[in-house]
């Protein structure tokens, strides 16, 4: 496997701690948190099946890799008032792996 595939695999494992709140399956409904499938490039709050915080809904954020990195490091600093009050990931390499995995989850249709 190449380094990119290894990073995606590490991200798949790392994101498992989030699946209590977030689904990553293309056809699953949002749960306690929004579904993360096809997240990169999506406007924050754009999934219609999850009631986002007003703060996130009005943030104007489009999820980029850099934006996700900042948000995952300190959600409340990036979007004060977000509902994501737990789940901050302090380790940069863990955030990088999660973002690589989320970036791989795209709708090919």
């Amino acid at each position: 496997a190449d380094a990119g595939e290894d990073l995606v695999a590490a991200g798949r494992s790392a994101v498992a701690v989030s699946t209590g709140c977030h689904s990553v399956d293309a056809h699953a409904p949002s749960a306690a948190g929004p579904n993360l499938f096809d997240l990169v490039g999506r406007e924050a709050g754009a999934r219609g099946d999850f009631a986002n915080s007003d703060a996130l809904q009005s943030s104007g954020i489009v999820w980029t890799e850099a934006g996700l990195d900042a948000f995952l490091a300190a959600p409340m600093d990036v979007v004060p008032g977000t509902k994501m009050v737990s789940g901050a990931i302090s380790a940069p390499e863990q955030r990088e792996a999660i973002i690589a995995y989320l970036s791989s989850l795209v709708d090919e249709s």
Side-chain angles (χ1 to χ4, degrees):
D2 68 26
E5 290 173 359
D6 290 346
L7 196 58
V8 168
R12 183 179 300 112
S13 295
V15 87
V17 300
S18 304
T19 56
C21 293
H22 297 280
S23 175
V24 294
D25 182 279
H27 304 291
S30 290
N35 184 313
L36 301 178
F37 184 83
D38 210 14
L39 176 69
V40 177
R42 184 167 80 208
E43 185 176 345
R47 261 192 86 93
D49 68 345
F50 183 75
N52 288 280
S53 64
D54 291 341
L56 190 68
Q57 194 71 42
S58 63
S59 69
I61 292 172
V62 173
W63 293 119
T64 62
E65 291 183 5
L68 281 167
D69 185 56
F71 185 76
L72 291 173
M76 295 295 284
D77 291 348
V78 174
V79 182
T82 182
K83 290 181 181 179
M84 190 167 140
V85 294
S86 63
I89 300 167
S90 58
E93 60 279 356
Q94 189 176 9
R95 292 194 310 270
E96 180 185 19
I98 289 170
I99 292 164
Y101 174 61
L102 293 177
S103 295
S104 76
L105 301 176
V106 295
D107 187 352
E108 300 290 344
S109 61

